[in-house]
Amino acid sequence: MEGDGSDSLVTIKNIERELICPACKELFTHPLILPCQHSICHKCVKELLLTLDDSFIDVGSDNSNQSSPRLRLPSPSMDKIDRLSRPASQRRSLGWRGHKKILNGWKRGSLTPRTTTFPCPGCEHDVDLGERGINGLFRNFTLETIVERYRQAARAATAIMCDLCKPPPQESTKSCMDCSASYCNECFKIYHPWGTVKAQHEYVGPTTNFRPKILMCPEHETERINMYCELCRRPVCHLCKLGGNHSNHRVTTMSSAYKTLKEKLSKDIDYLIGKESQVKSQISELNLLMKETECNGERAKEEAITHFEKLFEILEERKSSVLKAIDASKKLRLDKFQTQVEEYQGLLENNGLVGYAQEVLKETDQSCFVQTAKQLHLRIQKATESLKSFRPAAQTSFEDYVVNTSKQTELLGELSFFSSGIDVPEINEEQSKVYNNALINWYHPEKDKADSYVLEYRKINRDEEMLSWNEIEVCGTSKVISDLESNCNYAFRVRAYKGSICSPCSRELILHTPPAPVFSFLFDEKCGYNNEHLLLNLKRDRVESRAGFNLLLAAERIQVGYYTSLDYIIGDVGITKGKHFWAFRVEPYSYLVKAGVASSDKLQEWLRSPRDAVSPRYEQDSGHDSGSEDACFDSSQPFTLVTIGMKKFFIPKSATSANEPENRVLPMPTSIGIFLDYDKGRVAFYDMDHMKCLYERQVDCSHTMYPAFALMGSGGIQLEEPITAKYLEYQEHM
């Protein structure tokens, strides 16, 4: 009968890699066909899904083991296994109560049909398993049969034993596909006697692969597969076509699909067999290219070694020259010191000059004494003067002989394959910035000549110690770097690659990260927002003041003094603990803008209706106008606001700093950052261009603190948008 394995040695030759599961890297065991047409072991599907948090899948299928050591995955909890093993109908009736998370856009507990996403390890794409999960997948019986033939060929002499024999079992001679068991001749006669129904069972040669005679529909378990959906590329039954998920799809008969696909596959195989000589020729060419690549690689290594050996020779020569110069200078200085020591030793009693002078003093003849003593006196007088002004004969320092290798070290650090055909890219400092992440943008005049770029960055410690460079390969001319530490300096540089040739590194750009994590909020259009004076955009990240237009329209009627008021607007999220940082831009045309932080109790006072006559906003000197914080620097207030306007940044008065106007007025930064340390009760204002602190002070944080802003006259405030990869893609698209 068919399937006895007589020609299996030929059919399974050299196909081992086609029979390996992409997940466990072993031979397939009960493979399932995914919607992407890749196959994966049944156990591997279960194990991968169990690792996904709260997966929606039914794993109660036969021929599978609850655990497998192959993937070395953590064991799922019994609660999860029980939940995943429930029938689909039971799970739908329970509604998955108690789970509030969102999966693929569907809320748990919703009656709306939802889907299960599974990452295919073969194509690395997420595929939709549908509502039935594993129960909606077909077993790849054809692949199972091929794997079984391969195993039989691999073990060759290993026999399949009878499943029904008493110990010791005999070697089987037949396998019954209906009973899914193997039998020796005697057992087969016993369990399949003539004249019974079992005698009509289908039997094949000894095998461990038992497949059903008829392929049944996983959606409708009592219906056999008899059609093929051309849109979904999967077999279906007639109920799937009549009222199921394939009702509007184009289907064909199974015999027609079988004939068409078999013809296509046979044609492709015949084409490949006919091109066998061409394939062999191309393989030979590839082998020659591999050998050529290996030779060229070795030659390139030898050339590189030659260049480095030349550098070593130059360094050794310079090293020898420098050491000789240091030795010569050292010998000269030691000789001078030795001579000076000998001269000073002569001044000691009973030594040298002093002893000679004592002998001269013994001369009694006056003429002889004068003749000798005159010259001796000059020598002693000179020695006496040297004692009064002692100066060493030479210097001990060798500062003039310190070798400065900083430039050479930098050049050696940039040593790489270089071609004059690739220009050096330049980092655009104006378009590069750091906020919650770092956005690095660069310009390359020869952009089309570069295949890719390598962006390097590293952290600079406070003691200026440089850590090793981190490298990221980039295809475009910009990149977002995440996971940077707060309040740190980072150096960035980039180089271009064309094949294996690279350009020198660009000039380094140093950026300082914010002092705390970025606080995300939008303007609150509900709490105290005056829509008559303020205009808020749809994204709620920009506000403009329209008070100036109202004043101009009423100018003809104004005959007496008129005081405009501050219009306050706050963030929609409050702060109750921790360190936070946010940034914003003030439009250059703004007349007066105040920004900072304020507590919830103070906001209740500020945000009263402007029509209220007792509102602090109508009291010019109430302590809440543009100079309110100036008069209160001695005590900690529940708010701190700085004033920005007319392209200037005004620093409030303080008890310690100079309060002259020229010291309190700074140019308005392009972007202003605010750092709030709630736990320590401190707020600081930063120039974002240089991440420099302009002003800081204490603030009372006993209540919830909010980002607070106020505008008077014409003005505008734009919150800084956090840097994300999507933001970068949007910018490049624009």
Side-chain angles (χ1 to χ4, degrees), residues 285-298:
E285 183 179 354
L286 290 173
N287 289 329
L288 291 176
L289 292 176
M290 290 173 61
K291 293 180 179 179
E292 184 179 352
T293 301
E294 186 174 353
C295 294
N296 291 339
E298 292 299 323

Side-chain angles (χ1 to χ4, degrees), residues 437-451:
N437 296 319
L439 169 61
I440 308 301
N441 205 308
W442 58 89
Y443 169 76
H444 193 215
E446 303 291 337
K447 180 179 179 181
D448 295 335
K449 292 186 178 180
D451 295 333

Side-chain angles (χ1 to χ4, degrees), residues 9-58:
L9 289 175
V10 178
T11 59
I12 55 87
K13 185 178 181 181
N14 298 327
I15 63 170
E16 294 91 339
R17 64 180 181 178
E18 302 295 333
L19 311 180
I20 299 298
C21 173
C24 62
K25 307 302 180 184
E26 295 182 6
L27 290 175
F28 282 106
T29 303
H30 304 305
L32 301 179
I33 303 177
L34 298 174
C36 59
Q37 302 304 305
H38 290 101
S39 296
I40 184 174
C41 293
H42 185 265
K43 290 186 290 185
C44 295
V45 176
K46 291 199 304 179
E47 291 169 343
L48 288 173
L49 285 176
L50 284 173
T51 59
L52 302 175
D53 186 27
D54 297 327
S55 301
F56 290 89
I57 196 68
D58 186 357

Side-chain angles (χ1 to χ4, degrees), residues 366-379:
Q366 295 181 353
S367 299
C368 294
F369 177 80
V370 171
Q371 181 183 14
T372 305
K374 181 62 177 177
Q375 180 65 26
L376 181 60
H377 178 261
L378 291 175
R379 291 178 62 192

